[in-house]
Amino acid sequence: IVHISTVGRNKMRISWVTDDRNTPSVVEYGESRGNYTASATGDQATYKYFFYESGAIHHVTIGPLAPGTTYHYRCGKAGDELTLRTPPASLPLELVVIGDLGQTRWTASTLAHIGGADYDMLLLPGDLSYADTQQPLWDSFGRLVQPLASARPWMVTEGNHEAEALPVVGFAPFVAYNARWRMPHEESGSASNLYYSFDAAGGAAHVVMLGSYAEFEEGSAQRAWLERDLAGVDRRRTPWLLVLLHAPWYNTNQAHQGEGEAMRAAMEALLYEARVDVVFSGHVHAYERFTRIYDNEADGRGPMYITIGDGGNREGLALKYAIIGRSH
């Protein structure tokens, strides 16, 4: 069960799960099939959830890698050879954005559609496996997305279905998600895997992945981190500034009305002042696109807000909309 993610300017994290706890956390790689000219070692861990114990979850960072280059790699010194392509070092950059994916026949259709595209990176604003405490569903989700997620970096942030918190029996939230889908939060100065940022296309794009389910109020660690992160973006060299989060701040669908409002109130001004270009969200199982907006008014300097939560999960589509003209 393999997926990859981008780390820093020119590295990739290879993440995979094995039943055998003795499998070495080693990735061998090179630019020719079967000819591995480099290798890297990482770490492994397991987690328990009720009677479930995960396989060994390995994370290995490989690189430095050349941009826009195909590499062949093998995990654990055994098994099948896989192939990845690194993102380009400059624009154009082709991104796939899809939320609330799940693992249904609709999901399979979405993945087939993505598989037919020649894209560079996938961004997912939360709700991945819909395991919802049924831990083997994390494994089946990994197998379902592996053909795509092992070939291009998948950059994700958490949704409500990743929480799986059971405080009565002492299960902290996001245990499985954090163990399996480690993102480059440390590299972006974030203390939490639930929010982070990264550069793409040689710094021409800066992508901020916010956490709808981490504290975001004034005085919170996430808000302080976001302020620092946005202050570090030089728009002269970074013309594109993108933000992803799970629960939409603007939404005329009847589903999940108002659930993003507190976060909007806490953070929207920061995004506006930084001149963010576009904000993608999920949560609502539908597609919706707003004009550029700020504080519930059309504003040409505000971001465009796009809901893209129709990835195919088992809960189906959200088809009912509020009265046209309402924006919150």
Side-chain angles (χ1 to χ4, degrees), residues 12 162 195 314 327:
M12 287 277 197
E162 272 71 66
Y195 52 89
R314 56 178 163 72
S327 57

Side-chain angles (χ1 to χ4, degrees), residues 212-286:
S212 291
Y213 304 97
E215 289 188 5
F216 48 70
E217 297 82 1
E218 185 88 41
S220 67
Q222 180 176 197
R223 194 182 185 284
W225 169 83
L226 176 61
E227 205 162 356
R228 291 193 305 272
D229 187 79
L230 293 174
V233 178
D234 178 356
R235 296 307 296 273
R236 290 169 298 183
R237 65 175 292 270
T238 305
W240 286 97
L241 184 50
L242 291 69
V243 172
L244 279 80
L245 51 92
H246 188 60
W249 293 357
Y250 290 97
N251 169 34
T252 68
N253 197 288
Q254 290 184 14
H256 301 302
Q257 266 299 317
E259 289 184 25
E261 182 62 17
M263 190 180 190
R264 182 189 74 81
M267 291 183 161
E268 186 182 23
L270 294 178
L271 271 55
Y272 181 75
E273 288 160 12
R275 297 292 180 262
V276 167
D277 294 293
V278 60
V279 179
F280 291 101
S281 61
H283 202 39
V284 175
H285 301 161

Side-chain angles (χ1 to χ4, degrees), residues 18-85:
T18 59
D19 292 330
D20 183 357
R21 305 280 167 78
N22 296 316
T23 299
S25 300
V26 174
V27 173
E28 303 162 287
Y29 60 100
E31 293 185 41
S32 304
R33 290 188 185 279
N35 181 20
Y36 307 126
T37 56
S39 70
T41 302
D43 59 72
Q44 64 167 277
T46 63
Y47 72 90
K48 291 184 178 180
Y49 197 95
F50 278 116
F51 301 113
Y52 173 91
E53 185 167 1
S54 74
I57 302 168
H58 307 261
H59 298 288
V60 175
T61 301
I62 65 172
L65 305 173
T69 302
T70 296
Y71 287 87
H72 305 277
Y73 68 100
R74 185 174 69 167
C75 300
K77 294 190 171 182
D80 296 336
E81 180 175 274
L82 298 166
T83 301
L84 66 83
R85 192 180 75 201

Side-chain angles (χ1 to χ4, degrees), residues 127-197:
D127 283 1
L128 284 68
S129 71
Y130 285 75
D132 292 327
T133 75
Q134 304 299 310
Q135 295 304 300
L137 290 177
W138 278 109
D139 296 314
S140 58
F141 177 77
R143 287 189 288 271
L144 178 65
V145 302
Q146 175 176 315
L148 298 179
S150 64
R152 300 287 186 276
W154 277 39
M155 310 305 291
V156 306
T157 190
E158 87 279 3
N160 53 300
H161 285 275
E162 272 71 66
E164 302 185 301
L166 291 171
V168 175
V169 287
F171 289 121
F174 304 108
V175 169
Y177 171 77
N178 284 335
R180 294 170 180 270
W181 290 83
R182 184 187 297 176
M183 291 289 121
H185 66 92
E186 291 165 338
E187 291 80 1
S188 60
S190 166
S192 170
N193 194 51
L194 302 180
Y195 52 89
Y196 64 97
S197 68

Side-chain angles (χ1 to χ4, degrees), residues 276-312:
V276 167
D277 294 293
V278 60
V279 179
F280 291 101
S281 61
H283 202 39
V284 175
H285 301 161
Y287 172 82
E288 184 170 22
R289 178 168 61 90
F290 285 81
T291 189
R292 295 187 176 278
I293 194 169
Y294 175 63
D295 198 19
N296 286 299
E297 300 288 342
D299 188 323
R301 296 175 300 170
M304 182 174 286
Y305 286 82
I306 298 176
T307 301
I308 189 75
D310 51 354

